[in-house]
Short mmCIF file of all heavy atoms in Angstrom, two decimals:
data_model
loop_
_atom_site.label_atom_id
_atom_site.label_comp_id
_atom_site.label_asym_id
_atom_site.label_seq_id
_atom_site.Cartn_x
_atom_site.Cartn_y
_atom_site.Cartn_z
N VAL A 1 -35.89 238.17 252.43
CA VAL A 1 -34.91 239.12 253.02
C VAL A 1 -34.27 238.53 254.22
O VAL A 1 -34.93 238.09 255.19
CB VAL A 1 -35.62 240.45 253.42
CG1 VAL A 1 -34.58 241.42 254.03
CG2 VAL A 1 -36.36 241.08 252.24
N SER A 2 -32.90 238.37 254.16
CA SER A 2 -32.28 237.83 255.37
C SER A 2 -31.30 238.91 256.00
O SER A 2 -30.62 239.57 255.23
CB SER A 2 -31.60 236.52 255.10
OG SER A 2 -30.60 236.71 254.09
N PHE A 3 -31.20 238.88 257.29
CA PHE A 3 -30.30 239.71 258.03
C PHE A 3 -29.20 238.94 258.71
O PHE A 3 -29.47 237.94 259.32
CB PHE A 3 -31.06 240.53 259.07
CG PHE A 3 -31.42 241.91 258.66
CD1 PHE A 3 -32.60 242.09 257.89
CD2 PHE A 3 -30.73 243.02 259.05
CE1 PHE A 3 -32.95 243.37 257.48
CE2 PHE A 3 -31.05 244.28 258.63
CZ PHE A 3 -32.19 244.43 257.81
N ASP A 4 -27.99 239.44 258.63
CA ASP A 4 -26.89 238.87 259.36
C ASP A 4 -26.22 239.94 260.18
O ASP A 4 -25.65 240.88 259.61
CB ASP A 4 -25.91 238.25 258.40
CG ASP A 4 -24.65 237.64 259.08
OD1 ASP A 4 -24.72 237.52 260.34
OD2 ASP A 4 -23.67 237.25 258.40
N GLU A 5 -26.38 239.91 261.51
CA GLU A 5 -25.90 240.96 262.32
C GLU A 5 -24.72 240.38 263.13
O GLU A 5 -24.84 239.29 263.75
CB GLU A 5 -26.93 241.43 263.34
CG GLU A 5 -28.03 242.26 262.73
CD GLU A 5 -28.97 242.63 263.74
OE1 GLU A 5 -29.43 241.76 264.52
OE2 GLU A 5 -29.40 243.87 263.87
N GLN A 6 -23.61 241.12 263.17
CA GLN A 6 -22.48 240.76 264.02
C GLN A 6 -22.08 242.00 264.73
O GLN A 6 -21.06 242.64 264.36
CB GLN A 6 -21.38 240.10 263.22
CG GLN A 6 -21.77 238.79 262.58
CD GLN A 6 -20.70 238.23 261.65
OE1 GLN A 6 -19.57 238.69 261.64
NE2 GLN A 6 -21.15 237.38 260.75
N LEU A 7 -22.87 242.46 265.62
CA LEU A 7 -22.65 243.74 266.32
C LEU A 7 -22.04 243.58 267.65
O LEU A 7 -22.52 242.72 268.51
CB LEU A 7 -24.02 244.45 266.47
CG LEU A 7 -24.75 244.76 265.16
CD1 LEU A 7 -26.10 245.46 265.50
CD2 LEU A 7 -23.94 245.65 264.26
N GLN A 8 -21.01 244.33 267.91
CA GLN A 8 -20.52 244.42 269.25
C GLN A 8 -21.46 245.39 270.01
O GLN A 8 -22.09 246.25 269.37
CB GLN A 8 -19.08 245.03 269.25
CG GLN A 8 -18.10 244.04 268.67
CD GLN A 8 -16.85 244.73 268.13
OE1 GLN A 8 -16.84 245.92 267.98
NE2 GLN A 8 -15.85 243.93 267.74
N ASP A 9 -21.58 245.20 271.26
CA ASP A 9 -22.55 245.94 272.04
C ASP A 9 -22.34 247.46 271.93
O ASP A 9 -21.16 247.96 271.94
CB ASP A 9 -22.53 245.57 273.50
CG ASP A 9 -23.27 244.26 273.75
OD1 ASP A 9 -24.11 243.93 272.81
OD2 ASP A 9 -23.06 243.63 274.78
N SER A 10 -23.44 248.15 271.82
CA SER A 10 -23.51 249.57 271.93
C SER A 10 -22.49 250.29 271.05
O SER A 10 -21.85 251.24 271.47
CB SER A 10 -23.26 250.03 273.39
OG SER A 10 -21.94 249.82 273.75
N VAL A 11 -22.38 249.90 269.79
CA VAL A 11 -21.63 250.71 268.86
C VAL A 11 -22.43 251.91 268.46
O VAL A 11 -23.64 251.76 268.17
CB VAL A 11 -21.25 249.93 267.61
CG1 VAL A 11 -20.62 250.77 266.55
CG2 VAL A 11 -20.28 248.79 268.00
N LYS A 12 -21.91 253.07 268.58
CA LYS A 12 -22.66 254.29 268.28
C LYS A 12 -22.06 254.99 267.06
O LYS A 12 -20.83 254.96 266.92
CB LYS A 12 -22.66 255.27 269.46
CG LYS A 12 -23.48 254.76 270.71
CD LYS A 12 -23.47 255.85 271.74
CE LYS A 12 -24.32 255.43 272.92
NZ LYS A 12 -23.62 254.63 273.85
N LEU A 13 -22.89 255.69 266.32
CA LEU A 13 -22.41 256.53 265.20
C LEU A 13 -22.95 257.90 265.45
O LEU A 13 -24.03 258.12 265.96
CB LEU A 13 -22.97 256.02 263.90
CG LEU A 13 -22.50 254.64 263.37
CD1 LEU A 13 -23.28 254.31 262.15
CD2 LEU A 13 -21.03 254.65 263.14
N PRO A 14 -22.13 258.93 265.07
CA PRO A 14 -22.68 260.29 265.14
C PRO A 14 -23.94 260.28 264.37
O PRO A 14 -24.09 259.63 263.29
CB PRO A 14 -21.58 261.14 264.45
CG PRO A 14 -20.33 260.32 264.51
CD PRO A 14 -20.80 258.87 264.54
N SER A 15 -24.97 261.10 264.84
CA SER A 15 -26.29 260.99 264.25
C SER A 15 -26.33 261.32 262.74
O SER A 15 -27.03 260.71 262.03
CB SER A 15 -27.33 261.84 265.01
OG SER A 15 -26.82 263.15 265.13
N LEU A 16 -25.43 262.29 262.29
CA LEU A 16 -25.46 262.61 260.88
C LEU A 16 -24.98 261.40 260.06
O LEU A 16 -25.52 261.08 259.01
CB LEU A 16 -24.55 263.82 260.59
CG LEU A 16 -24.48 264.25 259.14
CD1 LEU A 16 -25.80 264.95 258.75
CD2 LEU A 16 -23.32 265.14 258.86
N VAL A 17 -23.91 260.74 260.55
CA VAL A 17 -23.39 259.57 259.87
C VAL A 17 -24.48 258.44 259.86
O VAL A 17 -24.79 257.85 258.87
CB VAL A 17 -22.13 259.07 260.52
CG1 VAL A 17 -21.60 257.81 259.85
CG2 VAL A 17 -21.04 260.18 260.44
N GLY A 18 -25.09 258.24 261.04
CA GLY A 18 -26.10 257.19 261.13
C GLY A 18 -27.25 257.38 260.26
O GLY A 18 -27.75 256.43 259.54
N LEU A 19 -27.70 258.62 260.16
CA LEU A 19 -28.84 258.96 259.26
C LEU A 19 -28.45 258.68 257.80
O LEU A 19 -29.26 258.14 257.08
CB LEU A 19 -29.21 260.42 259.44
CG LEU A 19 -30.51 260.82 258.77
CD1 LEU A 19 -31.66 260.11 259.44
CD2 LEU A 19 -30.72 262.37 258.88
N ASN A 20 -27.24 259.06 257.39
CA ASN A 20 -26.83 258.86 256.04
C ASN A 20 -26.65 257.33 255.75
O ASN A 20 -27.04 256.91 254.63
CB ASN A 20 -25.58 259.64 255.72
CG ASN A 20 -25.86 261.08 255.38
OD1 ASN A 20 -26.66 261.36 254.52
ND2 ASN A 20 -25.22 261.96 256.12
N VAL A 21 -26.14 256.63 256.67
CA VAL A 21 -26.03 255.16 256.55
C VAL A 21 -27.46 254.60 256.26
O VAL A 21 -27.65 253.80 255.30
CB VAL A 21 -25.43 254.51 257.76
CG1 VAL A 21 -25.71 252.99 257.82
CG2 VAL A 21 -23.92 254.77 257.85
N TYR A 22 -28.37 255.00 257.10
CA TYR A 22 -29.75 254.47 256.90
C TYR A 22 -30.32 254.90 255.55
O TYR A 22 -30.90 254.08 254.84
CB TYR A 22 -30.65 255.04 258.07
CG TYR A 22 -32.04 254.60 257.93
CD1 TYR A 22 -32.42 253.27 258.18
CD2 TYR A 22 -33.06 255.47 257.59
CE1 TYR A 22 -33.75 252.85 258.07
CE2 TYR A 22 -34.40 255.08 257.45
CZ TYR A 22 -34.72 253.72 257.75
OH TYR A 22 -36.04 253.35 257.54
N ARG A 23 -30.18 256.13 255.18
CA ARG A 23 -30.72 256.65 253.89
C ARG A 23 -30.10 255.98 252.70
O ARG A 23 -30.81 255.61 251.73
CB ARG A 23 -30.53 258.13 253.72
CG ARG A 23 -31.29 258.95 254.70
CD ARG A 23 -32.59 259.40 254.13
NE ARG A 23 -33.34 260.34 254.98
CZ ARG A 23 -34.26 259.96 255.82
NH1 ARG A 23 -34.68 258.64 255.96
NH2 ARG A 23 -34.87 260.81 256.56
N ILE A 24 -28.85 255.67 252.72
CA ILE A 24 -28.13 254.99 251.63
C ILE A 24 -28.67 253.58 251.51
O ILE A 24 -28.95 253.09 250.43
CB ILE A 24 -26.63 255.01 251.84
CG1 ILE A 24 -26.06 256.45 251.71
CG2 ILE A 24 -25.92 254.10 250.79
CD1 ILE A 24 -24.60 256.61 252.08
N CYS A 25 -28.79 252.89 252.67
CA CYS A 25 -29.32 251.52 252.67
C CYS A 25 -30.77 251.50 252.13
O CYS A 25 -31.14 250.61 251.40
CB CYS A 25 -29.26 250.97 254.05
SG CYS A 25 -27.56 250.62 254.60
N GLN A 26 -31.57 252.52 252.52
CA GLN A 26 -32.91 252.63 252.13
C GLN A 26 -32.96 252.74 250.61
O GLN A 26 -33.77 252.04 249.92
CB GLN A 26 -33.50 253.92 252.67
CG GLN A 26 -34.75 253.75 253.43
CD GLN A 26 -35.33 255.07 253.95
OE1 GLN A 26 -34.68 256.12 253.85
NE2 GLN A 26 -36.55 255.04 254.44
N GLU A 27 -32.12 253.54 250.04
CA GLU A 27 -32.08 253.76 248.59
C GLU A 27 -31.59 252.46 247.92
O GLU A 27 -32.15 252.08 246.86
CB GLU A 27 -31.02 254.88 248.31
CG GLU A 27 -30.99 255.40 246.89
CD GLU A 27 -31.93 256.56 246.63
OE1 GLU A 27 -31.82 257.52 247.44
OE2 GLU A 27 -32.70 256.54 245.69
#
């Protein structure tokens, strides 16, 4: 498993969106 992160600092998502992003990736 490899990760490639290109994150600008402190990007935030509304928690509902963030949770769904996480759940979809989990699935």
